[in-house]
Amino acid sequence: MEFLQPTTWAEALEARAAHPDAVPICGGTDVMVGINFGHLRPAQLLDLTRVADLREWTTEEHAVRLGAGVSYARVITRLGDRLPGLAMAARTIGSPQIRNRGTVGGNLATASPAGDAHPALLAADAVVEVASVRGSRRIPVTDFYTGPKRNAMDADELVAAVHITPPSGPQQYSKIGTRNAMVIAVAAFGLALHPDRRTVGTGIGSAAPTPRRAPAAEEFLAGELDAAGLWESRAELPAGLAGRFGELVAGSAAPIDDVRGTAGYRLHALSVMARRTLTWAWAEHRTASGNDSAKEV
């Protein structure tokens, strides 16, 4: 196995162009599992751990540009106030060792339907920045997943960063597994309330061929909140609203039966998680003063 180890982003892109079949590795929390189990036998590995630019984050036009090599641990400790949904998701990932190594960029590149970061990124309307020697481009995260473990990148491209606008309202994340830690999600759900534009963001994980949003649920909830003037009044949610939202979220999923759970169980779990996260997020929205849940960056 040939081991490529660039030290700059330019060198990494050149190596990717010259070796499009090389498997990129940064944290290695997915790649090494595949190699150790014999599911992955790459002729070349493209090690990105020495590319310092990937481990940085900046703010651009009120959005956080999160380098693809930023670990989950740093998302939690350094960006939890600005990216609460992603930080909640990161806290559910593996063990401290895995959170210290694993990266959001790696989760995106792997594009597993069960990737823990995806629901939070979908709910937050994130944008993925990819690059090659030909230049860079941005892909809305809703268009990034093209199939099970497939994404919209060309063969010579690498994930450079993900752009996430800190929310104007509360975010929540929920995940269910066969145990409380060190587990692949049976189902996961991310929610973001955007009172500044009166919209709702959702993200479904591990319950469809790709991570996906629940557009019917988003439109229903945003419409009901708007029609009743609840964005401004912050009154209690009408009876049955959260339950109906949960039903619509489950209706947007397309799960399968596998060793971790049945399709029926996943649908039920999603409806419960959607109802609960909405209840938690709305309670936070009601106690916020004005738009002080928005974080300056």
Side-chain angles (χ1 to χ4, degrees):
M1 185 184 298
E2 186 178 0
F3 193 67
L4 310 172
Q5 195 170 56
T7 58
T8 68
W9 184 232
E11 289 176 356
L13 295 180
E14 290 171 0
R16 185 62 166 167
H19 307 278
D21 293 330
V23 173
I25 182 170
C26 195
T29 56
D30 285 322
V31 172
M32 291 309 300
V33 170
I35 291 175
N36 289 338
F37 278 93
H39 302 150
L40 186 64
R41 281 290 179 265
Q44 298 158 327
L45 282 177
L46 176 57
D47 176 30
L48 301 174
T49 57
R50 296 192 179 188
V51 181
D53 290 350
L54 295 179
R55 300 193 298 271
E56 303 299 326
W57 65 83
T58 58
T59 56
E60 299 178 358
E61 298 179 354
H62 305 292
V64 174
R65 182 187 183 275
L66 187 70
V70 176
S71 69
Y72 297 119
R74 294 182 77 199
V75 169
I76 296 167
T77 59
R78 303 294 299 275
L79 293 166
D81 59 337
R82 283 174 279 183
L83 306 177
L86 185 59
M88 289 178 191
R91 291 187 187 100
T92 74
I93 295 172
S95 63
Q97 295 92 333
I98 291 173
R99 291 192 290 274
N100 283 334
R101 294 292 303 172
T103 64
V104 177
N107 218 206
L108 283 164
T110 302
S112 168
D116 293 308
H118 306 317
L121 296 175
L122 286 163
D125 294 321
V127 176
V128 184
E129 179 186 340
V130 301
S132 70
V133 293
R134 297 175 287 111
S136 65
R137 62 189 179 112
R138 298 188 182 187
I139 307 171
V141 72
T142 49
D143 299 329
F144 187 75
Y145 314 107
T146 59
K149 296 190 176 182
R150 297 198 304 273
N151 59 56
M153 288 194 294
D154 293 333
D156 64 341
E157 291 181 317
L158 293 170
V159 177
V162 58
H163 298 255
I164 313 167
T165 300
S168 65
Q171 294 184 336
Q172 284 290 334
Y173 180 88
S174 183
K175 168 183 169 180
I176 189 166
T178 52
R179 59 183 184 178
N180 287 335
M182 295 289 288
V183 66
I184 299 173
V186 173
F189 181 72
L191 174 69
L193 300 180
H194 304 288
D196 58 338
R197 56 182 191 266
R198 299 186 180 186
T199 61
V200 175
T202 60
I204 294 172
S206 205
T210 66
R212 61 172 59 173
R213 294 178 70 159
E218 295 173 357
E219 293 172 9
F220 164 77
L221 180 58
E224 291 294 312
L225 295 175
D226 200 31
L230 294 175
W231 289 115
E232 296 83 6
S233 71
R234 305 183 187 224
E236 292 186 8
L237 294 175
L241 182 64
R244 179 56 181 157
F245 175 68
E247 292 173 357
L248 290 171
V249 167
S252 294
I256 60 171
D257 297 334
D258 63 15
V259 294
R260 285 178 282 123
T262 65
Y265 178 73
R266 285 184 162 95
L267 292 174
H268 172 70
L270 276 173
S271 67
V272 173
M273 288 190 292
R275 172 170 52 82
R276 288 178 178 175
T277 53
L278 173 57
T279 302
W280 299 332
W282 193 254
E284 183 180 344
H285 181 61
R286 293 191 68 200
T287 58
S289 174
N291 271 348
D292 62 5
S293 58
K295 307 298 181 183
E296 294 296 328
V297 297

